[in-house]
Amino acid sequence: MNLIIYLIAGAIVGYIASRIMHTNSQQGTLLDIVVGVIGAFVAGYFISPLLGVGTINDAITIPTMLVTLIGAVILLWIVKAIRR
């Protein structure tokens, strides 16, 4: 059951990040989920210790979702920079 919740949260965060970075037309739902999950990893490993906010594994709250969103946006920014 937790896996389904994490996939849904990852899809939501990935979709919002793709809308922010204007890559929504280039990717579908599956890639939104992948971006959200990898963004959560980036956020948990790099951003959460800097901000003192828990990760999405601790609890799914507004601060953890925002940190995950920041991680997903950074991931998409890196991908866009490499593609150029």
Side-chain angles (χ1 to χ4, degrees):
M1 187 70 166
N2 286 339
L3 179 64
I4 295 171
I5 293 171
Y6 290 134
L7 290 178
I8 292 171
I12 292 169
V13 168
Y15 174 75
I16 294 170
S18 68
R19 298 293 290 189
I20 291 171
M21 295 300 292
H22 304 291
T23 59
N24 194 36
S25 62
Q26 301 169 357
Q27 60 191 42
T29 306
L30 183 62
L31 203 53
D32 283 342
I33 293 171
V34 170
V35 166
V37 170
I38 295 175
F41 172 75
V42 169
Y45 194 70
F46 295 110
I47 301 170
S48 288
L50 294 174
L51 299 178
V53 177
T55 63
I56 202 167
N57 290 331
D58 298 332
I60 298 178
T61 61
I62 301 275
T64 60
M65 293 294 278
L66 289 175
V67 169
T68 302
L69 178 64
I70 292 169
V73 167
I74 290 171
L75 174 69
L76 286 175
W77 179 75
I78 291 170
V79 168
K80 282 179 79 171
I82 291 173
R83 282 187 180 172
R84 290 184 187 173

